[in-house]
Amino acid sequence: MFFLIVLYLRIEIKQSLNRAKAMIKRRILPFLFLLSLLLVFTQCNYSHLKFEGLTIDGPMEPFLQQLEKKGFKRQQGVDDMAYLKGSFAGKDSCNLFVLRNVERDLIYRVVVALPPKDTWEELESDFKYMRAQLVKTYGAPKYETEEYDGLENITKNETKMLLLNEGKCRYTATWEVDGGTIYLEISHIRANGRNCVRVLYYDKVNDVVAEN
């Protein structure tokens, strides 16, 4: 399962022209950003996104402990991403990834990958099932997309599968809800050539903080 973990790893390469600029970028600018962010959100009514009833906020370890109580089993992860397996929305053997900003020990995103499928029919069935489950909780999605890199009137499932494997298919639904964004997609996993349906939970506040 290590290839799944590699899929979600983020590799950041930062270069500095000199020590003074590096210090400004590393120390002063993040401080000013967080200060401005705090001023904005203290004037707004906001909440954090939840996953399985758990708030996507705070340190990693307490969040993982709560997931374990819900039946998820920890697997081998990395510093900035925990990896678990378990059942989600009635689907067994799902892979669950919890992303965090290591420097702040702040979780900001949860990704659920349903078991890989070999045919378009199976993938579309999983997508429609998860869409229906999400609609029960969040209502109709704000955006829905079915695109095949400019091609129109694609009706053959074999063709859709081929385009998905080539990275030319976008089959998605997006919910903008209190606390963040939920993104549903049929996804091609380049690391091993498999395909699955994924559900991504982005916390509105922490996703911004973690990426800056």
Side-chain angles (χ1 to χ4, degrees), residues 63-89:
F63 190 79
L64 298 182
Q65 291 176 0
Q66 292 299 314
L67 287 173
E68 287 181 310
K69 291 180 180 179
K70 292 180 175 291
F72 288 94
K73 304 296 183 182
R74 292 200 207 193
Q75 310 295 311
Q76 182 181 1
V78 292
D79 285 345
D80 61 350
M81 185 180 65
Y83 171 35
L84 305 91
K85 291 185 71 71
S87 298
F88 173 72

Side-chain angles (χ1 to χ4, degrees), residues 7 13 15 73 99 107-108 126 130 143 155-156 167 180 188 192 197 205:
L7 179 64
I13 303 175
Q15 297 180 341
K73 304 296 183 182
L99 283 67
I107 62 171
Y108 61 94
D126 276 355
M130 288 307 311
Y143 308 106
T155 59
K156 292 184 178 181
H188 176 65
N192 69 334
V197 169
V205 178

Side-chain angles (χ1 to χ4, degrees), residues 50 72 82 84 91 96 113 119 121 126 137 160 166 188 202 209-210:
K50 292 187 176 182
F72 288 94
L84 305 91
K91 295 288 186 177
L96 175 67
T119 68
E121 291 85 353
D126 276 355
T137 303
K160 294 179 180 180
E166 293 177 350
H188 176 65
Y202 298 84
V209 173

Side-chain angles (χ1 to χ4, degrees), residues 71-168:
F72 288 94
K73 304 296 183 182
R74 292 200 207 193
Q75 310 295 311
Q76 182 181 1
V78 292
D79 285 345
D80 61 350
M81 185 180 65
Y83 171 35
L84 305 91
K85 291 185 71 71
S87 298
F88 173 72
K91 295 288 186 177
D92 296 330
S93 302
C94 294
N95 295 297
L96 175 67
F97 303 91
V98 182
L99 283 67
R100 73 161 176 164
N101 179 293
V102 177
E103 183 177 329
R104 300 185 176 97
D105 190 16
L106 179 70
I107 62 171
Y108 61 94
R109 192 179 304 166
V110 175
V111 181
V112 181
L114 274 62
K117 296 298 171 62
D118 296 321
T119 68
W120 181 264
E121 291 85 353
E122 292 175 305
L123 289 167
E124 191 171 44
S125 176
D126 276 355
F127 182 94
K128 290 180 177 179
Y129 173 84
M130 288 307 311
R131 182 188 182 282
Q133 297 301 308
L134 292 168
V135 166
K136 290 178 183 178
T137 303
Y138 304 104
K142 185 173 184 179
Y143 308 106
E144 294 192 81
T145 301
E146 183 178 355
E147 297 178 345
Y148 304 96
D149 270 15
L151 301 176
E152 297 182 357
N153 301 320
I154 304 299
T155 59
K156 292 184 178 181
N157 290 337
E158 295 80 2
T159 304
K160 294 179 180 180
M161 196 68 171
L162 177 63
L163 293 171
L164 175 65
N165 290 330
E166 293 177 350
K168 298 178 180 180

